Amino acid sequence: MSIRPRPTSRDVAERAGVSQATVSLVLRDRWRGRVSPARVEAVRAAVAELGYRPNLAARSLRLGRARTALVVVPALTNEFFARMYAGAARVAAGEDVGVVLYVPPDERGPAPDPFASAGAAVDGVLASSMAAESLATLSQGGLPLVMLDSEPRGPGTATVNPDIADGTRQVARHLLGLGHRRFAHLAAEVDSWTFRVRARVLAEELAAVPGARLVAAERAPITVRGGLGAAERVLAGARGKAGPTALVCDDDLLAVGACKAARRLGLRVPEELSVTGFDDLTVATAVEPELTTVALPAEDLGAAGMHALLALLAGTSPATTVLPAALLPRASTAPPPPGP
Amino acid sequence: MSIRPRPTSRDVAERAGVSQATVSLVLRDRWRGRVSPARVEAVRAAVAELGYRPNLAARSLRLGRARTALVVVPALTNEFFARMYAGAARVAAGEDVGVVLYVPPDERGPAPDPFASAGAAVDGVLASSMAAESLATLSQGGLPLVMLDSEPRGPGTATVNPDIADGTRQVARHLLGLGHRRFAHLAAEVDSWTFRVRARVLAEELAAVPGARLVAAERAPITVRGGLGAAERVLAGARGKAGPTALVCDDDLLAVGACKAARRLGLRVPEELSVTGFDDLTVATAVEPELTTVALPAEDLGAAGMHALLALLAGTSPATTVLPAALLPRASTAPPPPGP
DNA sequence: CTGAAAGCGCTTACAG
DNA sequence: CTGAAAGCGCTTACAG
C-alpha cells in the first residue's frame, strides 16, 4: 500500500491532453463557448480516473476569498444554538459556502483567538450571543461580522435578533391576564443582552399593573439542576407566606427544574403555581405538564444571519433585523389559586 | 470609510525593517537562535500596529497541510451528536487543529459532496453514524478517515465505537432480573450499525431466557412524537391482553414519548409498565419518572475519534476502539405487575 | 544572524 | 478555441 501523491490540475491536464487553464475552466464551469465539448469530456474523464479534487487552499489563495464563514456560538450542547447553527449551515450550503464552527472551550477564562484556532481561511464571521469581551476579540479580526441574539450597536454593525422584548411582554401579560400578581424571576446567570432584556421588560410590565410585583429573583446556570435549586430557594423561603404564584424562567431548562422543585415541595403545577419557559426546546413538550413558553425562531435566526453575512460580503450596508417571538400557552400556566 | 486592504507579511516586514523570512520565523515561533531579540520585538510591534493575521490559505498551500479536520455528523440538533462534536472540538483546539463541520442538509436524498461544500482545505475526516451510502462518498475523498459509532470494517479502517452491545445487554438483563418476560422494542427508523446492534442483542438476550419474548416491535422517527405514536400502537393493540410489561426504546426521546403514551392510556410507569431509553440525554432526567437509560460516552467518543484521526495523520495504523456504556437504573423501571 | 529566491496549486488576463 | 505565463501570500532551504 504505497502512498500515491494527490493529483494536481497539472496531472489532470496531462492525462486529458489539454492545458491547465482548460482544466480550470471546465472545473469551474466557465467553459461554454471557450472549450470544445470533446475536450470538456476528456477533462471530466481524467478527473474521474484520477479521483482529482481541487486544492482548496490554492484556490482560496488565488481568488482572494475562501467562500467560508466562521460561525461562533457559546455552546452547541444547547439546543437553541444547535438549531441556530442548523439554519445558518443550511443557507451556507445552498450558497456553496463552507462553514467553520468555533465554540470557545470554556465560558470562563479568557477566550482564545477564534481565528488562530479556526485553522481555515474565512471571509466573514457570524457570532451568536457573545459576551462583550469575546465580541471585542471578534471585531479585532477586521472581518465582516454579523451578530446574532446580541446587543444592537447602532448602524455600523449588522445584527439579527429575536424580538426578546415582545416575547417577554407576551409572557408577562399572559400571566397578568390569568390574574397573577406575585411573580418570581428565575434568571440565567449569564450576563448577555438577551437576558438583560428579559429582566428589564418583565420589571416594566409588572410596574405597569397596580398590585403586581416581583417577590423574588434568583440567578442560576441554564440547566435543569440550576432551575431546580433556584426554584427551591424561591419557594422554600415563602412557604405559607405570600410567595409567588408565577415563576417566569429565562429558559425551558430552568422551567423544567422549577417544575421538579414544585413537585418536591408538594405544589401542583399549574393549579398552585404557574411556570413559564423560554425557547420552546424539545424538553418543553417532553415534560408533564407541557410548558407554556416563548418560541424563538432559532433556525430562521441562523438563516437570516447567514444571509446578512453574505449580503455584507457582497457590499450591502449593515442593519439590524428583528424576528418575531411567539407565546405558546400550554399546560404549565393557569389562574392563581384563590388568595389568602 | 475606505476599505483598507488586508496587510501581508511583506507589509509587516517593511514596517519592522526586516525581511519577510524574519517575519515568518517570528510568527511561527521558530526564531530562537536565528533572529536577534530586538528584531523579534520590532516584528511583534509591527504585527500589532497593522493588525496583521497570516493568510491561512497561503500557509496551507505552502505547508501542504491545513491543520484542519472535517467533522461530519448526521444532525447537530441531536444532543448526542452535539456532545460528540464538543469532545472532538476540544481535542482539536488543544492540538491547534481547526474544525470544519459538515452536516448533510437532509437525511433523505443523495448526500451532496461534503468536500465541495466544506469550502476549506482539510487534512482528514471524522465521520459519525453514517449510513452506508454516505460513507462511500467519504471514502472516495481519499483522505484519512476515522469513523465514530459505525460498523467496524476490519483492520483497514479506524473506528471508535461505544459498546452498544454491552449497553443493550445490560438493559435486557436489568429488565429480565426485575421479572419482565413480555417485551416490546421501540426501534429508531434509521438503518445504521448502532440500531441494528441494539435489535440483534436484545433478541439474543431474550432468546437466552425461557419464557421471555418480544411481543411487539415498532419503528419510529427519533422524536418524542415518534415514540408517542409507536408506543400507542404497541400498547393499544394489547389492551387487557398479554401486552408487553417492558418497553425497550432505542433512544431517550422515544422513551419519553412512550411514557406520554402510557399516561394517556392510563398506564402508570413504572408500576404497570417499565420503559428504558438510551443515551442519557438531558431529557432523561427532566421528565418524571426519570428514565432508566444507558449512558454513552458521547464526548469521550468525539475526543477519542479526534485523537485517532491525529494519530492517523501522524502515521499510526488504524484500529478499532471500543468505549464502555453504562446502565443507569432510575425510576422508569420496576418489577412487572402480578401477571394474569 | 539575515535576506533573496523558489515554489506550493490554482485561476485569469492575455496573446495567439 | 487554446496555451504560456504571472501571481495570490506564505515558508524554507540556501547563500552570504
Side-chain angles (χ1 to χ4, degrees):
Chain A
M1 195 173 86
S2 74
I3 294 177
R4 189 165 43 128
R6 187 173 156 175
T8 69
S9 70
R10 201 191 181 94
D11 299 327
V12 174
E14 208 168 296
R15 181 162 194 125
V18 302
S19 75
Q20 247 185 309
T22 304
V23 173
S24 177
L25 256 17
V26 173
L27 259 67
R28 306 214 26 159
D29 206 26
R30 295 193 181 330
W31 60 271
R32 270 156 236 287
R34 300 209 255 171
V35 179
S36 62
R39 309 193 122 205
V40 171
E41 258 325 294
V43 169
R44 293 209 171 121
V47 164
E49 284 161 26
L50 294 172
Y52 170 76
R53 282 180 308 112
N55 180 319
L56 265 13
R59 179 176 280 176
S60 294
L61 176 57
R62 178 58 234 241
L63 294 176
R65 57 203 153 66
R67 286 202 76 74
T68 300
L70 178 66
V71 174
V72 184
V73 296
L76 257 194
T77 40
N78 177 313
E79 191 182 334
F80 178 74
F81 296 130
R83 275 158 54 185
M84 195 144 70
Y85 170 85
R90 178 170 47 73
V91 170
E95 300 286 337
D96 206 32
V97 164
V99 174
V100 177
L101 180 61
Y102 181 72
V103 184
D106 194 346
E107 302 198 16
R108 280 171 290 274
D113 183 358
F115 301 108
S117 321
V122 300
D123 301 320
V125 182
L126 184 61
S128 171
S129 319
M130 288 292 119
E133 329 88 81
S134 318
L135 224 135
T137 318
L138 286 173
S139 318
Q140 277 166 14
L143 288 172
L145 169 67
V146 173
M147 295 186 306
L148 297 175
D149 191 38
S150 301
E151 177 110 46
R153 325 180 78 203
T157 48
T159 313
V160 179
N161 281 344
D163 198 338
I164 298 293
D166 186 57
T168 307
R169 207 170 288 128
Q170 290 184 57
V171 167
R173 294 184 182 176
H174 168 68
L175 290 167
L176 286 164
L178 287 170
H180 292 275
R181 290 298 177 268
R182 297 197 308 277
F183 292 75
H185 184 200
L186 252 57
E189 80 178 6
V190 175
D191 183 31
S192 65
W193 170 80
T194 191
F195 296 119
R196 283 195 300 270
V197 171
R198 297 173 202 200
R200 178 173 55 74
V201 173
L202 178 60
E204 286 171 6
E205 289 295 316
L206 298 191
V209 174
R213 63 199 174 88
L214 208 59
V215 300
E218 279 279 342
R219 299 182 149 252
I222 310 175
T223 61
V224 173
R225 287 187 80 85
L228 177 67
E232 279 182 340
R233 291 194 295 276
V234 165
L235 297 173
R239 296 215 72 151
K241 292 178 244 157
T245 61
L247 248 52
V248 175
C249 305
D250 271 357
D251 185 278
D252 288 341
L253 292 177
L254 291 175
V256 166
C259 290
K260 279 179 115 69
R263 188 175 292 111
R264 291 193 187 178
L265 294 168
L267 281 168
R268 281 169 302 146
V269 175
E271 293 82 357
E272 298 173 272
L273 182 72
S274 285
V275 175
T276 64
F278 229 100
D279 286 1
D280 193 27
L281 305 179
T282 298
V283 80
T285 46
V287 296
E288 300 279 348
E290 297 190 354
L291 289 181
T292 293
T293 188
V294 176
L296 300 180
E299 265 215 58
D300 294 347
L301 216 59
M306 185 58 75
H307 276 305
L309 181 58
L310 296 176
L312 207 60
L313 290 170
T316 317
S317 49
T320 296
T321 307
V322 175
L323 268 40
L327 178 74
L328 262 28
R330 287 199 280 242
S332 68
T333 49
Chain B
M1 194 172 90
S2 74
I3 293 177
R4 189 166 43 128
R6 188 173 156 176
T8 67
S9 70
R10 199 190 183 96
D11 299 326
V12 174
E14 207 167 297
R15 182 164 194 123
V18 302
S19 75
Q20 247 185 308
T22 304
V23 173
S24 177
L25 256 14
V26 173
L27 260 67
R28 306 215 23 157
D29 207 28
R30 292 193 181 333
W31 60 271
R32 270 154 235 289
R34 300 208 254 171
V35 180
S36 61
R39 310 194 120 205
V40 170
E41 259 326 293
V43 169
R44 293 208 170 121
V47 164
E49 284 160 29
L50 295 173
Y52 169 77
R53 283 179 309 111
N55 180 318
L56 264 14
R59 179 177 280 177
S60 293
L61 175 58
R62 177 60 234 239
L63 258 28
R65 55 201 156 65
R67 286 202 76 75
T68 300
L70 178 67
V71 174
V72 184
V73 296
L76 257 194
T77 39
N78 178 313
E79 191 182 332
F80 179 75
F81 296 130
R83 276 158 54 184
M84 196 145 70
Y85 170 85
R90 178 171 47 74
V91 170
E95 300 286 337
D96 205 31
V97 165
V99 174
V100 177
L101 181 61
Y102 181 71
V103 183
D106 193 348
E107 302 200 12
R108 280 172 291 277
D113 183 358
F115 301 109
S117 322
V122 300
D123 301 321
V125 183
L126 184 60
S128 170
S129 319
M130 288 292 119
E133 328 90 80
S134 319
L135 225 136
T137 318
L138 286 174
S139 318
Q140 277 166 16
L143 288 172
L145 170 67
V146 172
M147 295 186 306
L148 297 175
D149 191 38
S150 302
E151 177 110 45
R153 326 181 75 203
T157 49
T159 313
V160 179
N161 281 344
D163 199 337
I164 299 293
D166 187 56
T168 307
R169 206 171 288 129
Q170 289 184 55
V171 167
R173 293 185 182 174
H174 168 69
L175 291 166
L176 287 164
L178 288 170
H180 293 275
R181 290 299 178 269
R182 298 195 308 276
F183 292 75
H185 183 200
L186 254 58
E189 80 179 4
V190 176
D191 183 31
S192 65
W193 170 80
T194 192
F195 297 119
R196 285 196 298 272
V197 171
R198 297 173 203 201
R200 178 174 56 73
V201 173
L202 178 60
E204 286 171 8
E205 288 296 315
L206 298 190
V209 174
R213 66 203 173 87
L214 209 58
V215 299
E218 280 278 344
R219 295 180 153 254
I222 310 175
T223 62
V224 172
R225 285 186 81 85
L228 178 69
E232 278 182 340
R233 292 194 296 276
V234 164
L235 297 173
R239 297 215 71 150
K241 291 179 245 157
T245 61
L247 248 54
V248 175
C249 305
D250 271 357
D251 186 278
D252 287 342
L253 292 176
L254 291 174
V256 166
C259 291
K260 280 179 113 72
R263 187 175 294 109
R264 292 194 184 179
L265 295 168
L267 280 168
R268 279 170 302 144
V269 174
E271 294 83 356
E272 298 171 274
L273 182 73
S274 284
V275 176
T276 65
F278 229 101
D279 286 2
D280 193 28
L281 305 179
T282 298
V283 80
T285 47
V287 296
E288 301 277 346
E290 297 190 354
L291 290 180
T292 293
T293 188
V294 175
L296 300 181
E299 265 217 55
D300 294 348
L301 216 58
M306 185 56 76
H307 276 305
L309 180 58
L310 295 177
L312 207 58
L313 290 169
T316 319
S317 48
T320 297
T321 307
V322 176
L323 267 40
L327 178 74
L328 262 28
R330 288 199 279 240
S332 69
T333 48

